């Protein structure tokens, strides 16, 4: 099979063996139909691939071609959304544990399902914020992840205020009647009016940049006892005085939810008890599929650019050289 990797800061297509399901009763073998490029994460991996090979990708969907003996919820021929490296990459075939896939109904477009990994990450970020109905959330940075968070928060009836310095990204959310702004002054004025100058219940930082002034600014935007949630690749540099003055909470959202990076949950495919860990990464993935299926969120704006598998390395080059302003690109395998 073919797979896309970063090798010495270049993106390449290599040949590898199809993974075997033998001895994996809790796994399925998936023939990939679409996978999603996540520019922030994957360009970071590309940057650290000097003198080594790094596998790329973590969100995809495809057709089940084989099932382990313990699999009962899907069968050969079913479509599934899959999430999470090292089980999900830009590979022609994926060997996925039962805790990291969700069945895709016929009413969901395959390309929509391919965004499932990003959807799970967006959902988990909102769960970390632990907002209640009617509370105000400010979302800073409207890349594909920030966009998804804003859409899901809006569907949950939170009061959403979003900001990005790119007008085009701001306009995408305005189509969903979400309050979004391309200047800080406009965003702050909307926040002042909506909260009667009390401040947001939470600010989600979805922008990149290790040393960002946003870590200081966001503390001015939250209310007393409000929350700052780091979602993007930002160094947590928060001034003590500002945090102390508001008794602010600092939270970090890690990937798609409980279970991520736990070998028992992922590699051994042993799920956490539903009663005690309600929203695992796998259940967040299922929830994304439900939201799309029930038309609670519209993700079609992220599906406009599909690239053929063999052309993917050039598309990574365009993203790396900032020749493309696209939020994400969908890789087509067939």
């Amino acid at each position: 099979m073919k797979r896309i990797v970063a090798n010495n800061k270049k993106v390449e297509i290599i040949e590898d063996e199809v993974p075997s399901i033998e001895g994996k009763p809790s796994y399925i073998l998936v023939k990939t139909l679409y996978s999603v490029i996540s520019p922030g994460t994957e360009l970071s991996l590309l940057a650290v691939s000097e003198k080594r090979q790094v596998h790329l990708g973590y969100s995809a969907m495809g057709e089940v071609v084989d099932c382990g003996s313990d699999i009962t919820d899907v069968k050969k021929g079913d479509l599934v959304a899959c999430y999470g490296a090292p089980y999900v990459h830009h590979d022609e075939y994926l060997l996925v544990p039962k805790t990291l896939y969700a069945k895709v109904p016929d009413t969901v477009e395959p390309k929509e399902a391919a965004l499932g990994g990003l959807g799970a990450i967006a959902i988990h970020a909102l769960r970390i914020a632990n907002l209640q109905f009617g509370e105000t959330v400010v979302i800073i940075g409207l890349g594909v992840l920030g966009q998804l968070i804003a859409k899901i928060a809006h569907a949950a009836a939170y009061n959403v205020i979003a900001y990005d310095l790119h007008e085009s990204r701001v306009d995408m959310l305005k189509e969903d009647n979400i309050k979004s702004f391309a200047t800080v002054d406009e965003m702050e004025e909307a926040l002042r009016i909506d909260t009667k100058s009390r401040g947001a219940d939470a600010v989600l930082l979805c922008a990149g940049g290790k040393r960002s002034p946003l870590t200081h600014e966001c503390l001015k935007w939250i209310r007393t006892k409000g929350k700052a949630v780091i979602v993007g690749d930002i160094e947590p540099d928060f001034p003590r005085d500002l945090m102390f003055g508001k008794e602010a909470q600092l939270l970090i959202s890690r990937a798609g939810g409980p279970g991520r990076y736990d070998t028992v949950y992922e590699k051994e495919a042993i799920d956490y008890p539903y009663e005690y860990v309600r929203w695992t990464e796998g259940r967040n993935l299922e929830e994304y599929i439900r939201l799309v299926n029930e038309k609670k969120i519209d993700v079609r704006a992220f599906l406009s650019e599909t690239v053929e598998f063999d052309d993917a390395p050039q598309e990574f080059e365009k993203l790396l050289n900032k020749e493309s302003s696209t939020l994400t690109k969908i890789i087509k395998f067939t």
Side-chain angles (χ1 to χ4, degrees):
M1 72 168 185
K2 293 179 179 179
R3 65 192 321 176
I4 296 171
V5 299
N7 188 12
N8 205 25
K9 297 190 175 182
K10 294 287 185 182
V11 176
E12 303 173 349
I13 295 175
I14 65 170
E15 289 285 344
D16 206 345
E17 293 184 1
V18 175
S20 172
I21 202 168
E22 187 175 348
K24 301 279 188 179
S26 298
Y27 281 65
I28 60 173
L29 183 63
V30 177
K31 187 179 189 301
T32 311
L33 300 179
Y34 295 98
S35 66
V36 176
I37 297 175
S38 177
T41 299
E42 295 182 57
L43 293 184
S44 296
L45 289 173
L46 184 58
V48 298
S49 66
E50 187 172 1
K51 296 181 180 179
R52 66 188 183 114
Q53 189 179 97
V54 180
H55 294 163
L56 298 174
Y58 61 82
S59 184
M61 67 78 55
E63 179 183 347
V64 178
V65 294
D66 205 353
C67 299
S69 58
D70 291 346
I71 301 297
T72 58
D73 56 342
V74 295
K75 62 184 185 303
K76 292 180 184 179
D78 286 343
L79 299 183
V80 291
C82 313
Y83 162 60
Y87 311 96
V88 179
H89 292 299
H90 300 307
D91 297 348
E92 284 188 302
Y93 287 88
L94 307 169
L95 190 60
V96 185
K98 65 181 181 181
T99 48
L100 293 179
Y101 67 77
K103 187 175 179 179
V104 178
D106 295 339
T107 45
V108 172
E109 289 293 326
K111 287 193 286 187
E112 293 177 319
L115 286 163
L118 289 163
I121 294 170
I123 289 170
H124 181 59
L126 283 170
R127 297 201 194 285
I128 289 293
N130 195 26
L131 295 163
Q132 296 189 41
F133 175 77
E135 290 191 328
T136 296
V137 56
V138 173
I139 298 162
I140 306 297
L142 298 177
V144 63
L145 193 54
Q147 296 267 343
L148 280 168
I149 291 172
K151 287 173 179 283
I152 294 166
H154 184 64
Y158 301 140
N159 181 38
V160 181
I161 299 173
Y163 163 76
D164 194 290
L165 52 81
H166 294 93
E167 285 274 5
S168 59
R169 296 182 178 188
V170 168
D171 290 342
M172 289 174 71
L173 284 184
K174 285 182 178 177
E175 294 178 9
D176 289 325
N177 295 316
I178 296 173
K179 286 169 282 190
S180 51
F181 305 94
T183 71
V184 170
D185 288 345
E186 289 177 303
M187 183 272 290
E188 289 180 336
E189 179 64 8
L191 180 61
R192 183 189 67 79
I193 293 169
D194 284 4
T195 67
K196 299 180 179 179
S197 299
R198 296 187 179 99
D201 297 283
V203 173
L204 273 64
L205 297 174
C206 305
K210 287 291 188 180
R211 295 289 178 181
S212 173
L214 294 173
T215 55
H216 291 222
E217 290 297 311
C218 77
L219 294 177
K220 301 175 185 177
W221 301 330
I222 62 173
R223 63 172 172 82
T224 297
K225 296 183 180 293
K227 305 158 191 168
V229 184
I230 295 177
V231 183
D233 186 15
I234 292 177
E235 195 68 27
D237 176 24
F238 291 85
R240 182 187 183 279
D241 288 349
L242 286 174
M243 292 198 69
F244 180 85
K246 289 191 173 178
E247 202 171 3
Q249 297 180 55
L250 171 59
L251 303 164
I252 297 180
S253 177
R254 186 179 75 170
R260 194 69 186 111
Y261 310 115
D262 179 357
T263 56
V264 173
Y265 177 89
E266 293 185 336
K267 186 176 181 179
E268 297 179 30
I270 298 175
D271 201 355
Y272 298 148
Y274 187 89
E275 314 86 79
Y276 297 105
V277 187
R278 178 64 181 86
W279 292 108
T280 61
E281 57 179 331
R283 291 193 265 275
N284 282 334
L285 177 62
E286 291 174 346
E287 181 64 9
Y288 164 80
I289 296 297
R290 183 187 74 84
L291 290 173
V292 173
N293 187 42
E294 296 182 4
K295 311 301 181 187
K296 304 293 186 184
I297 60 172
D298 184 353
V299 299
R300 289 174 296 178
F302 311 135
L303 310 176
S304 60
E305 292 204 26
T306 302
V307 301
E308 297 296 328
F309 181 86
D310 290 338
D311 297 330
Q314 297 93 294
E315 298 301 323
F316 275 97
E317 288 294 327
K318 291 178 183 178
L319 290 168
L320 183 64
N321 297 327
K322 303 189 185 303
E323 296 174 14
S324 173
S325 58
T326 305
L327 296 182
T328 187
K329 297 191 178 187
I330 311 295
I331 299 175
K332 182 181 178 181
F333 282 74
T334 56

